Amino acid sequence: MKIEKLKPQILTITNQPDLLTKEKMQAVCDLLQANVDTYDWVGFYMAHETEPTLHLWSQAGEPTDHTVIPFGKGICGQVAVSNANFVVDDVHAQDNYIACSIHVKSEIVIPMFKNGKNIGQIDIDSNTPNAFNEKDERFLEWINELIAAQL
């Protein structure tokens, strides 16, 4: 499914007043993982308030042992430090990659900001090489803005 067609469903999820933010994040993960062929694993990692670590709040796809990631470690940890989008066409070409599954070929991590501070990120793994492009970046930035507004 084209990612743009998911926007109305994402708005419906994020505008539900009876859901907690973590529940909305989980519903977004489930929706993306189930409907975008190249989004094999989708998760939100949020920065700890006092420690330089990221904590997995929600995820869809295979379970992961990587529920806490130090800043600087792996692609997610690098984004926590750089505050910049990171698109990896081939995870095996990255020295600082943390392998979550032997099937993962590419990854995209988009930081989430609130009041100018990096508070977390959306992380997507794909079993397809070169799975992500600028449209994915803009779409995921939009999702992060919706989620951040509720935190």
Side-chain angles (χ1 to χ4, degrees):
M1 174 178 285
K2 293 197 182 255
I3 55 178
E4 291 297 317
K5 292 187 177 193
L6 295 174
K7 282 188 171 184
Q9 293 173 66
I10 291 167
L11 284 170
T12 298
I13 292 166
T14 58
N15 289 328
Q16 288 185 35
D18 56 327
L19 288 182
L20 299 172
T21 302
K22 276 189 176 183
E23 293 172 323
K24 293 175 185 182
M25 293 165 85
Q26 183 61 54
V28 168
C29 287
D30 292 338
L31 179 73
L32 294 178
Q33 196 265 339
N35 289 284
V36 183
D37 291 341
T38 55
Y39 289 15
D40 294 297
W41 188 93
V42 180
F44 283 100
Y45 282 96
M46 301 306 291
H48 190 275
E49 289 184 24
T50 58
E51 299 173 10
T53 54
L54 296 163
H55 296 258
L56 185 64
W57 275 26
S58 57
Q59 66 96 38
E62 290 183 28
T64 180
D65 292 334
H66 304 287
T67 58
V68 178
I69 299 174
F71 282 18
K73 185 162 174 58
I75 307 305
C76 290
Q78 287 177 236
V79 168
V81 173
S82 72
N83 297 323
N85 295 355
F86 201 149
V87 178
V88 181
D89 293 330
D90 177 6
V91 296
H92 302 294
Q94 290 292 317
D95 292 337
N96 196 18
Y97 173 69
I98 300 172
C100 293
S101 165
I102 60 169
H103 304 293
V104 175
K105 304 286 190 252
S106 57
E107 181 175 14
I108 186 170
V109 180
I110 306 296
M112 181 186 306
F113 297 96
K114 184 158 183 102
N115 301 323
K117 181 181 178 187
N118 184 341
I119 59 167
Q121 55 197 229
I122 189 167
D123 175 23
I124 301 180
D125 292 341
S126 180
N127 299 343
T128 305
N130 305 307
F132 308 107
N133 59 38
E134 189 174 332
K135 286 182 183 177
D136 295 288
E137 287 187 72
R138 300 297 85 83
F139 176 63
L140 299 172
E141 287 169 350
W142 176 77
I143 290 171
N144 279 355
E145 287 173 17
L146 291 174
I147 297 295
Q150 301 190 24
L151 292 169

